[in-house]
Amino acid sequence: MNKIKTIGVFTSGGDAPGMNAAIRAIVRTALYYNINVTGIMRGYEGMISGEFIPMSRKSVANIIQRGGTILKTARSEAFRTKEGRKEAFEQLKQHNIDALVAIGGEGTFTGANLFIKEFNIPIIGLPGTIDNDLLGTDFTIGYDTAINTVIDAVDKIRDTAESHDRLFIVEVMGRDSGLIALRSGIGVGAEAILIPESRTDIDALFKRLEESRSDKSSKIIIVAEGDKIGGFEITEMIKEKFPKYDTRLSILGHIQRGGKPSCMDRVLASRLGVAAVEALLNGRKGAMVGLINNNIHYTPFYNAIKHLSEADPNLLKIVNILSL
Ligand code: F6P
């Protein structure tokens, strides 16, 4: 055991369902090991401005089922500057915080990496993002809930699409990643799935629509937000090429980030929260804790934030076989 007496916990970047379950697990594990926990509000923003709150077993009661994050979150511009990070470090010192658990995604871990290099403070990360775009974990906290939200919404769109014999383009979140689109697209039986990891070949899409069974009364195309062409443009192109289709665009937006976390996300957050605190107590730092093949793994921040450059070819193949 090393000399950690107080751990600071914060959520940062886009929120994700299951962040509260993670906060609960971190607080209760730390208290179990007789370590104090301080909550840092609004991520790095609150660290800089000194928005700290003491955490107790009670302060995390009744939150495991709640979406969002009780610690709030932000994307901090100030923390990108050296002065901002220095101020944050001063605040941590003043409040006797000697280690951190950061719950977030790529931006959060990029900041954490710099912070460790400059001030040598121990930080362990938990993957909290609906995008599932971090290496070193099969799934990120929030992803399972988000894809279930998507399939719930698209099932409803399917009802109206069937009634009107319509083609729907549905744009889902994922600025740099098509993983929400890919998995939810398979889950709703999409005609095609367009993602940033592979070049969108509009002629291939047209061919697919031409070849698709004429007795299908509804068609769904899932487009990731980060697709190079984008949902709006694709809708316009399809309308022009296939005037016979009654085509509509639906952008699901931020409903994908809200809602009660699924059981998968609650359990994932709980397991990773416990592992994060134990890792700090065992002297680990600068790594994200994740789950690979159901086992805990630690991945250095600089590896966790490297992007997957291609989508799983097995999933892509499934789409092609099943959607005809
Ligand atoms: O990173 C999660 C995410 O929901 C992305 O999928 C999306 O592109 C982005 O956040 C939207 O962020 P904001 O809510 O800040 O506009």
Side-chain angles (χ1 to χ4, degrees):
M1 289 268 179
N2 61 11
K3 300 183 301 288
I4 292 174
K5 290 200 180 67
T6 304
I7 290 175
V9 58
F10 64 99
T11 48
S12 163
D15 63 347
M19 280 184 162
N20 281 329
I23 296 166
R24 170 181 178 269
I26 291 155
V27 170
R28 292 209 170 151
T29 307
L31 296 175
Y32 174 85
Y33 287 111
N34 295 317
I35 308 290
N36 301 314
V37 195
T38 298
I40 302 167
M41 301 299 293
R42 289 168 232 285
Y44 293 119
E45 282 293 291
M47 203 182 290
I48 293 169
S49 59
E51 277 187 83
F52 298 133
I53 51 166
M55 303 294 282
S56 65
R57 283 187 178 81
K58 182 144 188 271
S59 61
V60 292
N62 209 10
I63 65 167
I64 194 169
Q65 76 280 22
R66 282 168 57 190
T69 159
I70 59 162
L71 294 177
K72 305 207 179 257
T73 186
R75 301 190 197 272
S76 174
E77 283 306 318
F79 198 77
R80 291 178 196 270
T81 67
K82 198 156 184 167
E83 300 75 55
R85 292 192 294 275
K86 185 162 186 305
E87 185 52 43
F89 182 67
E90 294 303 327
Q91 290 283 1
L92 294 179
K93 262 202 325 202
Q94 264 178 41
H95 290 81
N96 300 315
I97 296 172
D98 17 54
L100 294 170
V101 180
I103 310 168
E106 187 187 349
T108 309
F109 299 156
T110 305
N113 226 0
L114 278 172
F115 207 37
I116 296 171
K117 272 194 199 131
E118 290 168 358
F119 300 102
N120 196 28
I121 178 155
I123 311 179
I124 288 288
L126 253 71
T129 165
I130 63 165
D131 290 350
N132 202 29
D133 59 345
L134 294 166
L135 294 183
T137 191
D138 291 337
F139 299 109
T140 55
I141 298 164
Y143 177 63
D144 182 65
T145 307
I147 55 179
N148 277 294
T149 299
V150 171
I151 63 166
D152 222 49
V154 180
D155 287 350
K156 289 179 175 131
I157 290 173
R158 176 74 79 179
D159 289 345
T160 173
E162 278 281 308
S163 308
H164 288 265
D165 295 333
R166 279 179 172 162
L167 184 156
F168 267 86
I169 315 296
V170 182
E171 189 181 287
V172 301
M173 274 186 163
R175 188 172 27 206
D176 305 308
S177 162
L179 293 176
I180 293 179
L182 190 53
R183 212 163 261 263
S184 62
I186 293 172
V188 298
E191 200 73 25
I193 301 170
L194 308 178
I195 54 175
E197 289 84 347
S198 53
R199 189 180 69 86
T200 292
D201 180 345
I202 203 75
D203 293 326
L205 177 66
F206 288 166
K207 190 159 176 279
R208 196 163 184 82
L209 288 174
E210 267 153 19
E211 286 169 355
S212 101
R213 283 194 344 261
S214 55
D215 60 347
K216 274 192 180 179
S217 56
S218 68
K219 298 184 200 315
I220 304 278
I221 297 173
I222 303 284
V223 183
E225 179 190 352
D227 175 76
K228 302 289 176 303
I229 304 181
F232 182 78
E233 196 65 26
I234 287 167
T235 307
E236 293 307 302
M237 289 162 128
I238 291 178
K239 278 183 177 169
E240 200 184 317
K241 176 85 179 171
F242 298 97
K244 65 171 180 178
Y245 290 143
D246 195 6
T247 303
R248 293 287 188 278
L249 169 67
S250 181
I251 298 176
L252 294 189
H254 286 76
I255 62 161
Q256 293 161 92
R257 286 236 299 260
K260 273 163 137 10
S262 67
C263 184
M264 287 283 284
D265 277 329
R266 295 181 201 193
V267 176
L268 178 67
S270 301
R271 288 184 71 181
L272 299 185
V274 173
V277 174
E278 289 181 343
L280 280 175
L281 296 181
N282 288 326
R284 222 180 250 278
K285 65 177 173 185
M288 182 196 85
V289 54
L291 211 59
I292 300 177
N293 289 334
N294 209 23
N295 289 312
I296 296 288
H297 274 260
Y298 298 94
T299 304
F301 285 140
Y302 56 83
N303 278 337
I305 60 182
K306 282 182 190 156
H307 271 283
L308 274 178
S309 50
E310 50 186 47
D312 182 344
N314 296 318
L315 292 184
L316 287 171
K317 187 178 163 202
I318 287 175
V319 180
N320 289 336
I321 295 174
L322 299 185
S323 63
L324 286 176

